[in-house]
Amino acid sequence: MNFGAALLQSYLLVTLCSTVLAADAEKGRAAQIEPLPNPESHIVDKWRGTWEVKATRREPRPVQDVTYVETYDWILDKRYLRSETSRKSDGNRSMSMFWYDILTKTYRFVIYDSSGLAVILPPPVWRESTQTMEWNSGFFEPLSYTGYATFTDPHTIRWKSLWKDWKGTVILDLEGTSIRRK
């Protein structure tokens, strides 16, 4: 092969590679603006953003006010909304995953805490009329959980989490307000 043919071949290879890379980059940009994967994800999307959180923990005692910032972002082709908190005023951090499970046709919410706690909440129900997500565990669970998150407006969530053991003793009682920062 002569020098001119080799140069042309190199040019064609570089052009082909840059075209493929440009197409991949365009696909990446398109993936960022693709619609949510199912209609139920629009409910989950209400949580997307950064929130200033102020809460009161009544149990376990002593009563304590807790403040932190929590940010929710879509991951894995907008199928899961992942959150992560700043260091909370009580010293902990947490993250969560929130999604609509297309197999079970339920919303799912899992919380991970830096204390080592990982909790799978019971599947919640969305009440459109009150803009409220409600969680209620079954009667035969070793721990019972009830909770709600009500959007009083698109930028404010009032919420409550209540955990009890099998005897009905309150393990965790936490109530708060989240205000969207952005």
Side-chain angles (χ1 to χ4, degrees), residues 89-147:
S89 60
D90 67 0
N92 286 328
R93 293 186 68 190
S94 63
M95 63 180 287
S96 69
M97 296 290 278
F98 188 22
W99 72 99
Y100 182 77
D101 187 329
I102 60 172
L103 296 176
T104 63
K105 306 281 191 246
T106 59
Y107 294 97
R108 304 303 311 228
F109 204 105
V110 180
I111 302 168
Y112 307 91
D113 190 83
S114 62
S115 68
L117 178 69
V119 178
I120 301 170
L121 297 182
V125 174
W126 175 252
R127 308 256 184 244
E128 185 68 31
S129 62
T130 60
Q131 295 292 294
T132 301
M133 188 67 80
E134 296 177 352
W135 289 263
N136 287 297
S137 60
F139 292 109
F140 301 108
E141 301 290 326
L143 295 175
S144 76
Y145 178 78
T146 57

Side-chain angles (χ1 to χ4, degrees), residues 158-172:
R158 296 203 181 279
W159 53 269
K160 181 172 175 89
S161 293
L162 182 64
W163 287 94
K164 295 181 181 179
D165 69 11
W166 62 277
K167 297 178 285 186
T169 304
V170 175
I171 298 168
L172 178 67

Side-chain angles (χ1 to χ4, degrees), residues 40-73:
E40 294 81 6
S41 293
H42 288 281
I43 301 304
V44 176
D45 192 56
K46 290 175 173 288
W47 275 262
R48 184 173 43 89
T50 299
W51 303 82
E52 297 278 344
V53 181
K54 293 181 181 176
T56 301
R57 190 192 72 217
R58 292 183 186 85
E59 292 289 340
R61 297 221 176 251
V63 173
Q64 183 177 16
D65 289 329
V66 182
T67 58
Y68 55 95
V69 174
E70 186 164 26
T71 300
Y72 287 85
D73 289 312

